[in-house]
PDB file of all heavy atoms in Angstrom:
ATOM      1  N   GLY A 185     151.732   8.389  71.404  1.00  0.00           N
ATOM      2  CA  GLY A 185     152.603   7.449  70.690  1.00  0.00           C
ATOM      3  C   GLY A 185     152.411   7.456  69.169  1.00  0.00           C
ATOM      4  O   GLY A 185     152.935   6.551  68.502  1.00  0.00           O
ATOM      5  N   GLY A 198     149.030   9.977  49.857  1.00  0.00           N
ATOM      6  CA  GLY A 198     147.576   9.900  49.547  1.00  0.00           C
ATOM      7  C   GLY A 198     147.166  11.001  48.791  1.00  0.00           C
ATOM      8  O   GLY A 198     146.289  10.798  47.892  1.00  0.00           O
ATOM      9  N   ALA A 202     145.391  10.729  45.087  1.00  0.00           N
ATOM     10  CA  ALA A 202     144.064  11.232  44.894  1.00  0.00           C
ATOM     11  C   ALA A 202     144.103  12.005  43.685  1.00  0.00           C
ATOM     12  O   ALA A 202     143.097  11.959  42.760  1.00  0.00           O
ATOM     13  CB  ALA A 202     143.539  11.987  46.015  1.00  0.00           C
ATOM     14  N   ASP A 262     121.860  11.413  49.313  1.00  0.00           N
ATOM     15  CA  ASP A 262     120.405  11.454  49.189  1.00  0.00           C
ATOM     16  C   ASP A 262     119.574  12.182  50.311  1.00  0.00           C
ATOM     17  O   ASP A 262     118.533  12.223  50.385  1.00  0.00           O
ATOM     18  CB  ASP A 262     119.723  10.139  48.756  1.00  0.00           C
ATOM     19  CG  ASP A 262     120.005   9.080  49.874  1.00  0.00           C
ATOM     20  OD1 ASP A 262     120.706   9.436  50.959  1.00  0.00           O
ATOM     21  OD2 ASP A 262     119.593   7.936  49.697  1.00  0.00           O
ATOM     22  N   ILE A 301     126.762  16.042  64.538  1.00  0.00           N
ATOM     23  CA  ILE A 301     128.061  16.323  63.807  1.00  0.00           C
ATOM     24  C   ILE A 301     127.889  15.348  62.720  1.00  0.00           C
ATOM     25  O   ILE A 301     127.797  13.930  62.873  1.00  0.00           O
ATOM     26  CB  ILE A 301     129.235  16.123  64.710  1.00  0.00           C
ATOM     27  CG1 ILE A 301     129.230  17.021  65.843  1.00  0.00           C
ATOM     28  CG2 ILE A 301     130.486  16.281  63.802  1.00  0.00           C
ATOM     29  CD1 ILE A 301     130.193  16.744  66.937  1.00  0.00           C
ATOM     30  N   ILE A 303     129.857  13.721  59.260  1.00  0.00           N
ATOM     31  CA  ILE A 303     131.250  13.578  58.641  1.00  0.00           C
ATOM     32  C   ILE A 303     131.141  12.831  57.381  1.00  0.00           C
ATOM     33  O   ILE A 303     130.439  11.747  57.340  1.00  0.00           O
ATOM     34  CB  ILE A 303     132.183  12.871  59.686  1.00  0.00           C
ATOM     35  CG1 ILE A 303     132.129  13.605  60.936  1.00  0.00           C
ATOM     36  CG2 ILE A 303     133.546  12.717  58.999  1.00  0.00           C
ATOM     37  CD1 ILE A 303     132.511  12.657  62.089  1.00  0.00           C
ATOM     38  N   ALA A 320     131.932  -0.563  62.419  1.00  0.00           N
ATOM     39  CA  ALA A 320     130.682   0.372  62.841  1.00  0.00           C
ATOM     40  C   ALA A 320     131.166   1.815  62.768  1.00  0.00           C
ATOM     41  O   ALA A 320     130.569   2.644  63.242  1.00  0.00           O
ATOM     42  CB  ALA A 320     130.210   0.021  64.244  1.00  0.00           C
ATOM     43  N   LEU A 366     137.694  18.276  67.221  1.00  0.00           N
ATOM     44  CA  LEU A 366     137.088  16.962  66.982  1.00  0.00           C
ATOM     45  C   LEU A 366     138.199  15.879  66.589  1.00  0.00           C
ATOM     46  O   LEU A 366     138.914  16.152  65.562  1.00  0.00           O
ATOM     47  CB  LEU A 366     136.035  17.016  65.879  1.00  0.00           C
ATOM     48  CG  LEU A 366     135.336  15.669  65.577  1.00  0.00           C
ATOM     49  CD1 LEU A 366     134.635  15.141  66.679  1.00  0.00           C
ATOM     50  CD2 LEU A 366     134.433  15.861  64.219  1.00  0.00           C
ATOM     51  N   SER A 381     142.255  15.069  63.243  1.00  0.00           N
ATOM     52  CA  SER A 381     141.883  15.964  64.163  1.00  0.00           C
ATOM     53  C   SER A 381     141.686  17.366  63.579  1.00  0.00           C
ATOM     54  O   SER A 381     142.434  17.922  62.787  1.00  0.00           O
ATOM     55  CB  SER A 381     143.023  16.137  65.225  1.00  0.00           C
ATOM     56  OG  SER A 381     142.552  17.052  66.227  1.00  0.00           O
ATOM     57  N   HIS A 397     106.188  18.651  76.618  1.00  0.00           N
ATOM     58  CA  HIS A 397     105.058  18.001  76.615  1.00  0.00           C
ATOM     59  C   HIS A 397     105.383  16.532  77.106  1.00  0.00           C
ATOM     60  O   HIS A 397     106.337  15.781  76.679  1.00  0.00           O
ATOM     61  CB  HIS A 397     104.527  17.745  75.175  1.00  0.00           C
ATOM     62  CG  HIS A 397     103.508  16.699  74.971  1.00  0.00           C
ATOM     63  ND1 HIS A 397     102.114  17.112  75.261  1.00  0.00           N
ATOM     64  CD2 HIS A 397     103.482  15.408  74.686  1.00  0.00           C
ATOM     65  CE1 HIS A 397     101.524  15.982  75.031  1.00  0.00           C
ATOM     66  NE2 HIS A 397     102.226  14.910  74.666  1.00  0.00           N
ATOM     67  N   ASP A 426     111.267   3.834  80.610  1.00  0.00           N
ATOM     68  CA  ASP A 426     110.614   2.631  80.392  1.00  0.00           C
ATOM     69  C   ASP A 426     110.667   1.754  81.650  1.00  0.00           C
ATOM     70  O   ASP A 426     111.891   1.382  82.255  1.00  0.00           O
ATOM     71  CB  ASP A 426     111.305   1.870  79.264  1.00  0.00           C
ATOM     72  CG  ASP A 426     110.572   0.613  78.718  1.00  0.00           C
ATOM     73  OD1 ASP A 426     109.565   0.201  79.514  1.00  0.00           O
ATOM     74  OD2 ASP A 426     110.918  -0.001  77.747  1.00  0.00           O
ATOM     75  N   LEU A 462     120.380   2.094  82.304  1.00  0.00           N
ATOM     76  CA  LEU A 462     119.612   1.480  83.292  1.00  0.00           C
ATOM     77  C   LEU A 462     119.933   2.192  84.523  1.00  0.00           C
ATOM     78  O   LEU A 462     120.999   2.417  85.057  1.00  0.00           O
ATOM     79  CB  LEU A 462     120.104   0.065  83.454  1.00  0.00           C
ATOM     80  CG  LEU A 462     119.286  -0.778  84.619  1.00  0.00           C
ATOM     81  CD1 LEU A 462     117.716  -0.842  84.237  1.00  0.00           C
ATOM     82  CD2 LEU A 462     119.852  -2.147  84.815  1.00  0.00           C
ATOM     83  N   PRO A 489     103.724  10.935  68.532  1.00  0.00           N
ATOM     84  CA  PRO A 489     104.600   9.876  68.958  1.00  0.00           C
ATOM     85  C   PRO A 489     104.145   8.452  68.531  1.00  0.00           C
ATOM     86  O   PRO A 489     102.941   8.150  68.565  1.00  0.00           O
ATOM     87  CB  PRO A 489     104.671  10.059  70.346  1.00  0.00           C
ATOM     88  CG  PRO A 489     104.087  11.395  70.724  1.00  0.00           C
ATOM     89  CD  PRO A 489     103.022  11.517  69.691  1.00  0.00           C
ATOM     90  N   LEU A 495     112.029  -4.957  61.342  1.00  0.00           N
ATOM     91  CA  LEU A 495     111.507  -6.198  60.987  1.00  0.00           C
ATOM     92  C   LEU A 495     112.493  -7.238  61.506  1.00  0.00           C
ATOM     93  O   LEU A 495     112.027  -8.520  61.691  1.00  0.00           O
ATOM     94  CB  LEU A 495     111.378  -6.322  59.414  1.00  0.00           C
ATOM     95  CG  LEU A 495     110.398  -5.283  58.784  1.00  0.00           C
ATOM     96  CD1 LEU A 495     110.466  -5.403  57.245  1.00  0.00           C
ATOM     97  CD2 LEU A 495     109.025  -5.547  59.342  1.00  0.00           C
ATOM     98  N   SER A 524      98.394  12.810  69.883  1.00  0.00           N
ATOM     99  CA  SER A 524      99.083  13.777  69.150  1.00  0.00           C
ATOM    100  C   SER A 524      99.118  15.167  69.906  1.00  0.00           C
ATOM    101  O   SER A 524      98.358  15.202  70.878  1.00  0.00           O
ATOM    102  CB  SER A 524      98.444  14.072  67.845  1.00  0.00           C
ATOM    103  OG  SER A 524      98.437  12.941  67.032  1.00  0.00           O
ATOM    104  N   VAL A 527     102.391  22.090  68.268  1.00  0.00           N
ATOM    105  CA  VAL A 527     103.496  23.048  68.491  1.00  0.00           C
ATOM    106  C   VAL A 527     103.375  24.280  67.631  1.00  0.00           C
ATOM    107  O   VAL A 527     103.338  24.209  66.528  1.00  0.00           O
ATOM    108  CB  VAL A 527     104.844  22.526  68.313  1.00  0.00           C
ATOM    109  CG1 VAL A 527     105.933  23.473  68.685  1.00  0.00           C
ATOM    110  CG2 VAL A 527     105.029  21.227  69.258  1.00  0.00           C
TER     111      VAL A 527
END
Side-chain angles (χ1 to χ4, degrees):
D262 55 4
I301 303 162
I303 302 147
L366 176 66
S381 181
H397 170 84
D426 190 344
L462 183 60
L495 298 177
S524 300
V527 176

